[in-house]
């Protein structure tokens, strides 16, 4: 009897039909043959046994085990890459790479270095203190293991651990499974390994096709060992993603450094010395590169011009606009500094004509210290005007209060700006404190509470420090922002006010 043919489907081979009859039973084996199955014996779930009596796994069990291993590896890589993607700073990303790599290769300690060809490479250690890193720095180059074009392009420091890495373009790692017995390494290298207590190492270049080679990582084993082929494959896949992530952090850090350098160059390099007044300033740059600025310039007849302000926006364009605005204000202050309203009116007209899409806040004060006044018996005098900027604060032994200024709109918001000026006479020993609104915003409080907090911080200045403007601004800054020197990249990334600039400018009148 023939089996009917199934119809063919284009592109698909027809399945094999089920047999119409059972195959004939095999001939019976002689009695006592070990290969003869016992019909009464239960079926072995692990499949048939080999001649030695050991159970052999079924073919599908091997496939299932392999698939389970692949799935486990994929889940592990996904978890590690997700943790790396959540890091918001370069330092956090480097530590995460070391932790993830140590778990993948089975090591306990390690270090990673970035931009080794730069003047100041970035190096982070895992399970290694500063003293340990100092010992590693003393390892001389392993010249016997170096080959031309194969050495790691690093400085004479941590790059010594990566001498025998392959050249650029090859992302293979290098293992030293037994450092104590490796005659290709220098004696100093073996001595440092013995002192620090590691017996093997595995080095891997941080390289990808898009980013190129940006650094290298090495993991240290407590005992002689080396990663298996599966571990090398997993750490290689993780390395490809980590390199791209670290490269983005490096680009972002370089851009921030460029903006910070530009902003610092546009601000005064030093404060002037004017008889009868002493100055102090604190400037904390935000990671986003804001446009807050300050200025102090000597004027004719011993007078002094003080200014603080800021432009809208962030980044290089805001910094450039800040530089143009500050330079223009200096010119107007020299020409008509005795009238702060005229200075800000001219500045507003310039801003409206040249940069109509921007707005800015500014406060300018024309100061005549007592040492500059030739009229006997007259103290210091300050005439100031503000455009949408926070009022300055008077700090002294007998009073701590805000200067009463008229409410005015920022520059560029109205067709024609003009507001009355205010004249004050600070007593000898009092300090006039100017500040940017970034100081208030970084507290995270509402504006009313932030103003009250600033006044309380100024009132808490120790009595002995009231005649030192540098001590005053330092005390106010530390009281308002206890973590002012911490990295604010995490706060800036989520859109909070943590990335704004902070300016504190104090003028102490004698």
């Amino acid at each position: 009897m023939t089996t009917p043919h199934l119809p063919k489907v284009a592109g698909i081979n027809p399945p094999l039909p089920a047999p119409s009859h059972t195959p004939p039973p095999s001939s019976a084996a002689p009695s006592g043959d070990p290969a003869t199955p016992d019909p009464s014996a239960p079926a072995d779930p692990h499949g048939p046994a080999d001649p030695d009596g050991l159970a052999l796994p079924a073919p599908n069990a091997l496939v299932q085990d392999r698939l389970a291993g692949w799935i486990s590896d994929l889940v592990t890589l996904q978890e590690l890459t997700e943790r790396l993607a959540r890091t918001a700073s370069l330092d956090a990303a480097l530590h995460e790479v070391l932790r993830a790599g140590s778990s993948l290769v089975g090591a306990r300690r390690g270090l990673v270095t970035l931009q080794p060809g730069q003047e100041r490479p970035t190096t982070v250690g895992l399970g290694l203190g500063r003293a340990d890193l100092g010992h590693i720095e003393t390892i001389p180059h392993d010249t016997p293991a170096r080959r031309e074009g194969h050495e790691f392009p690093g400085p004479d420091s941590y790059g010594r651990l990566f001498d025998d890495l392959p050249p650029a373009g090859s992302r293979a790692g290098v293992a030293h499974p037994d450092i104590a017995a490796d005659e290709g390494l220098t004696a100093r290298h073996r001595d440092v390994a013995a002192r620090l207590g590691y017996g093997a190492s595995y080095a891997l270049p941080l390289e990808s096709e898009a980013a190129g080679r940006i650094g290298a990582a090495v993991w240290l084993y407590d005992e002689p060992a080396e990663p298996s082929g599966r571990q090398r494959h997993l750490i290689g896949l993780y390395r490809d993603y980590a390199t791209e992530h670290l490269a983005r952090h490096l680009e972002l850090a370089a851009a921030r450094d460029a903006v910070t350098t530009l902003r610092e160059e546009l601000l005064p390099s030093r404060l002037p010395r004017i008889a009868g007044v002493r100055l102090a300033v604190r400037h904390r740059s935000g990671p986003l590169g804001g446009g807050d600025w300050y200025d102090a310039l000597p004027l004719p007849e011993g007078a002094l011009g003080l200014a603080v302000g800021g432009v809208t926006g962030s980044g290089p364009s805001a910094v450039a606009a800040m530089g143009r605005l500050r330079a223009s204000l200096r010119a107007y202050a020299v020409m008509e500094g005795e009238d702060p309203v005229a200075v800000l009116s001219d500045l507003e007209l310039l801003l409206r004509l040249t940069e109509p899409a921007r707005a800015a806040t500014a406060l300018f004060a024309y100061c005549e210290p007592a040492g500059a006044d030739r009229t006997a018996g007259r103290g210091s005098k300050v005439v100031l005007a503000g455009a949408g900027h926070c009022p300055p604060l008077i700090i002294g032994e007998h009073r701590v209060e805000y200067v009463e200024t008229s409410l005015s709109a920022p520059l560029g918001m109205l067709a024609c700006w003009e507001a009355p000026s205010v004249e004050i006479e600070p007593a000898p020993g009092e300090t006039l404190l100017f500040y940017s609104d970034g100081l208030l915003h970084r507290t995270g409080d509402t504006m009313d509470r932030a103003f009250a907090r600033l006044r309380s911080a100024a009132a808490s200045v120790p009595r002995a420090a009231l005649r030192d403007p540098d001590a005053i601004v330092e005390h106010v800054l530390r009281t308002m922002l206890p973590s002012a020197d911490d990295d604010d990249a995490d706060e800036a990334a989520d859109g909070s006010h943590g990335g704004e600039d902070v300016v504190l400018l104090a003028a102490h009148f004698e």
Side-chain angles (χ1 to χ4, degrees):
M1 184 175 73
T2 60
T3 303
H5 293 282
L6 297 179
K8 292 186 178 181
V9 180
I12 301 178
N13 292 326
L16 294 177
S20 58
H21 61 276
T22 57
S26 58
S27 58
S31 177
D33 190 345
T36 303
D38 185 0
S40 62
D44 188 355
H46 299 287
D50 66 355
D52 296 329
L54 299 178
L56 295 177
N60 61 341
L62 293 176
V63 173
Q64 291 176 359
D65 289 344
R66 181 168 298 182
L67 288 176
W70 289 345
I71 294 174
S72 175
D73 292 343
L74 290 176
V75 171
T76 300
L77 286 176
Q78 180 182 5
E79 293 177 352
L80 294 178
T81 52
E82 286 179 353
R83 288 174 53 181
L84 179 61
R86 289 193 294 265
T87 58
S89 65
L90 179 61
D91 186 72
L94 290 174
H95 282 91
E96 178 58 33
V97 168
L98 283 176
R99 285 191 294 266
S102 66
S103 65
L104 290 176
V105 301
R108 190 170 61 89
R109 291 176 291 175
L111 64 91
V112 59
T113 181
L114 294 182
Q115 293 183 323
Q118 303 296 326
E119 182 179 355
R120 294 182 179 180
T122 301
T123 302
V124 171
L126 174 67
L128 297 172
R130 292 186 177 181
D132 300 333
L133 295 178
H135 285 302
I136 293 176
E137 282 186 328
T138 65
I139 299 176
H141 280 290
D142 297 334
T143 51
R146 297 179 69 186
R147 300 180 298 277
E148 183 178 358
H150 286 64
E151 67 273 9
F152 184 69
D156 293 335
S157 57
Y158 302 106
R160 298 165 184 173
L161 287 177
F162 313 111
D163 281 334
D164 50 357
L165 283 180
S170 175
R171 302 198 292 271
V174 174
H176 291 291
D178 192 352
I179 293 179
D182 193 342
E183 298 295 336
L185 303 177
T186 63
R188 178 59 183 170
H189 194 159
R190 296 194 296 269
D191 292 342
V192 169
R195 174 174 296 187
L196 298 184
Y198 65 90
S201 65
Y202 180 67
L204 192 68
L206 297 177
E207 182 177 357
S208 67
E209 295 181 0
R213 181 168 295 187
I214 63 172
V218 61
W219 288 274
L220 308 176
Y221 297 86
D222 294 340
E223 302 293 339
E226 64 177 309
S228 63
R230 172 176 169 270
Q231 291 175 321
R232 296 193 187 205
H233 178 68
L234 290 179
I235 191 63
L237 295 176
Y238 180 79
R239 181 267 316 275
D240 293 342
Y241 177 83
T243 301
E244 298 293 337
H245 186 76
L246 294 175
R248 289 191 292 270
H249 273 295
L250 287 175
E251 293 177 359
L252 181 60
R256 288 175 175 170
D257 291 343
V259 172
T260 300
T261 302
L262 175 62
R263 181 169 54 245
E264 295 298 334
E265 291 295 328
L266 292 175
L267 294 176
S269 57
R270 62 183 181 87
L271 297 175
R273 294 184 178 182
I274 303 295
V277 64
R278 287 185 293 145
L279 303 175
V281 68
R282 290 293 185 276
H283 181 215
R284 296 291 183 266
S285 300
L288 297 181
D292 288 355
W293 53 276
Y294 69 92
D295 205 350
L297 65 155
L299 297 175
E301 300 181 0
L304 173 68
L306 299 175
V308 291
V311 300
T312 57
S314 61
S317 61
V319 173
M322 175 267 289
R324 294 190 292 268
L325 199 67
R326 173 179 169 268
S328 302
L329 186 142
R330 290 175 69 92
Y332 297 144
V334 171
M335 293 187 295
E336 46 191 355
E338 296 183 7
D339 186 358
V341 173
V343 172
L344 294 185
S345 296
D346 294 342
L347 192 64
E348 193 276 336
L349 178 61
L350 177 69
L351 182 68
R352 183 155 43 89
L353 294 177
T354 59
E355 301 188 44
R358 288 192 182 276
T361 63
L363 189 148
F364 178 73
Y366 177 80
C367 307
E368 290 182 351
D373 191 6
R374 305 182 185 278
T375 304
R378 184 171 181 180
S380 302
K381 183 182 72 171
V382 178
V383 182
L384 59 90
H389 203 81
C390 304
L393 189 64
I394 297 179
I395 305 173
E397 294 183 3
H398 304 291
R399 61 171 175 170
V400 176
E401 60 187 25
Y402 289 102
V403 177
E404 293 293 338
T405 59
S406 59
L407 184 63
S408 61
L411 303 177
M413 298 294 291
L414 301 177
C416 181
W417 178 91
E418 187 171 349
S421 60
V422 176
E423 181 176 330
I424 59 175
E425 294 183 0
E430 290 186 334
T431 300
L432 196 59
L433 181 65
F434 303 87
Y435 52 93
S436 66
D437 56 0
L439 176 67
L440 306 176
H441 290 160
R442 281 209 192 192
T443 63
D445 296 331
T446 62
M447 293 303 291
D448 291 342
R449 296 187 61 182
F451 276 116
R453 185 172 174 178
L454 176 58
R455 187 184 182 282
S456 298
S460 65
V461 174
R463 189 181 184 90
L466 288 176
R467 294 187 176 273
D468 184 359
D470 196 76
I472 291 176
V473 295
E474 187 69 22
H475 175 83
V476 171
L477 180 63
R478 294 300 174 190
T479 305
M480 294 286 289
L481 307 175
S483 58
D485 287 336
D486 293 345
D487 186 15
D488 295 310
D490 294 344
E491 296 179 81
D494 61 10
S496 67
H497 294 295
E500 294 192 19
D501 293 354
V502 172
V503 173
L504 281 143
L505 176 63
H508 179 77
F509 294 91
E510 299 175 340

